[in-house]
Amino acid sequence: MKMIVILIALAISAGASAKTFPEGVTIDSSSCSFAPGKFSYRFLLNNEMIGQIMPGTCHYDHAEESAPDTRYFVDFYMENKTDTFATKNEAMLWMTRVLGEYYKPVTITEWQNLRVQPPKVVLRYPAGWDYRLEKFRGIFKSDVQSENKLVLIRTDYRGKSEVMMIIRTPNTAKLTLQQAMEMTAQMNRAIDLKSRGSSEVTIGGKTFKTSRNSFMIQMDQFHYWYADDQEIIYINYNLLKDEKIRFPEVMTNIIQSIKW
């Protein structure tokens, strides 16, 4: 009876620990070759290793020391964070906290306003991000005289990332909205307008067609099109891996802030 109670308690404890990790995050362990009874732990999401807890005694270079290293080394790769703890429980608590903070929707508390012309766009975007203006002479057969493309750029420990682009360009070829959408799909073969279809959304008082698709499994792509006799507007942003969890609300807020 005592053994049954112990097993039930362990099962409850394991279930409680599992719930502390964000959805989709799993953990596995492997025994340390040079430290019997000690284990290293790997944290994974979508089959990608995102972090690790490693006892110091797992390392071969500590095996012959007179005082083995009994610390626990933790690494969270998505933010390049590391730390060291005296016990496994402390290391687990640190990893649980870091995972919980990272894998949740990002809340932006400070925004900055942007007004550019050309292309004529007004919006707000998170403080710390940057932007770039350029000429786009691509798929819409537009006679471009000045900058017609705005790119929003986010910088983190991995470097610079182009988060969103807005193309507002003259409709020189008098393309229909459907033609503009089909030209974009020819450029980006992941866009499947036939199977995915499109819906309507209002951005800055203009009615856009919008569609969403998956690219290489890892990325979600979002598209918005507008066309009349005078101009074509195309908005695109992509969310890759953890960005799909962290940034949807941020991107929605940017889209909702746009004025023409």
Side-chain angles (χ1 to χ4, degrees):
M1 177 63 71
K2 184 177 180 180
M3 180 59 69
I4 293 174
V5 171
I6 292 173
L7 290 174
I8 292 174
L10 289 172
I12 293 172
S13 176
S17 294
K19 291 179 181 178
T20 62
F21 298 128
E23 183 178 356
V25 174
T26 59
I27 178 174
D28 66 17
S29 62
S30 58
S31 59
C32 297
S33 300
F34 301 99
K38 292 291 184 72
F39 296 84
S40 63
Y41 301 90
R42 300 192 312 159
F43 297 82
L44 304 103
L45 180 63
N46 297 325
N47 295 319
E48 178 183 5
M49 188 172 172
I50 59 174
Q52 179 176 244
I53 296 176
M54 176 75 72
T57 47
C58 268
H59 297 293
Y60 179 76
D61 54 1
H62 295 126
E64 297 179 0
E65 294 179 1
S66 56
D69 191 342
T70 59
R71 296 172 295 175
Y72 285 80
F73 298 85
V74 293
D75 292 272
F76 179 58
Y77 305 135
M78 307 310 293
E79 289 185 303
N80 202 26
K81 286 185 175 180
T82 62
D83 212 328
T84 308
F85 296 95
T87 67
K88 182 184 74 173
N89 285 343
E90 290 175 307
M92 282 288 184
L93 286 173
W94 181 93
M95 185 65 76
T96 301
R97 177 181 58 80
V98 170
L99 288 171
E101 290 174 353
Y102 185 79
Y103 288 106
K104 68 179 182 180
V106 170
T107 300
I108 302 297
T109 58
E110 186 177 352
W111 296 81
Q112 49 196 4
N113 296 318
L114 176 64
R115 180 187 297 270
V116 293
Q117 185 174 356
K120 188 178 180 183
V121 181
V122 177
L123 54 76
R124 67 172 196 161
Y125 65 105
W129 289 20
D130 201 354
Y131 72 92
R132 183 180 71 248
L133 298 175
E134 60 187 50
K135 289 183 180 181
F136 177 80
R137 300 182 180 276
I139 55 176
F140 299 128
K141 301 180 180 180
S142 183
D143 184 9
V144 180
Q145 302 299 322
S146 58
E147 287 86 357
N148 63 344
K149 179 179 178 181
L150 167 66
V151 180
L152 296 183
I153 302 167
R154 179 169 61 89
T155 302
D156 60 18
Y157 75 97
R158 291 169 286 197
K160 295 183 180 295
S161 174
E162 295 187 359
V163 177
M164 173 186 285
M165 71 172 178
I166 301 174
I167 298 170
R168 189 178 192 186
T169 194
N171 191 358
T172 309
K174 303 304 179 185
L175 301 176
T176 65
L177 176 58
Q178 187 63 32
Q179 287 173 323
M181 294 169 67
E182 290 172 355
M183 285 183 170
T184 311
Q186 290 172 8
M187 178 184 69
N188 181 354
R189 296 295 183 179
I191 300 174
D192 188 350
L193 295 171
K194 290 184 179 179
S195 64
R196 299 290 297 182
S198 63
S199 57
E200 290 189 350
V201 62
T202 300
I203 302 175
K206 296 180 182 290
T207 300
F208 283 72
K209 289 286 189 180
T210 181
S211 186
R212 172 180 176 179
N213 63 271
S214 177
F215 180 75
M216 301 292 288
I217 302 176
Q218 296 283 356
M219 178 185 289
D220 287 343
Q221 298 185 325
F222 299 79
H223 313 272
Y224 303 83
W225 297 272
Y226 172 87
D228 60 23
D229 286 343
Q230 302 301 314
E231 67 178 356
I232 295 172
I233 305 175
Y234 172 57
I235 305 171
N236 164 249
Y237 67 87
N238 306 314
L239 297 177
L240 177 65
K241 294 182 179 179
D242 56 287
E243 294 173 349
K244 293 188 286 186
I245 301 172
R246 305 181 67 230
F247 285 98
E249 293 181 15
V250 176
M251 304 312 298
T252 298
N253 286 334
I254 295 173
I255 291 290
Q256 291 174 344
S257 76
I258 293 175
K259 294 180 177 60
W260 308 109

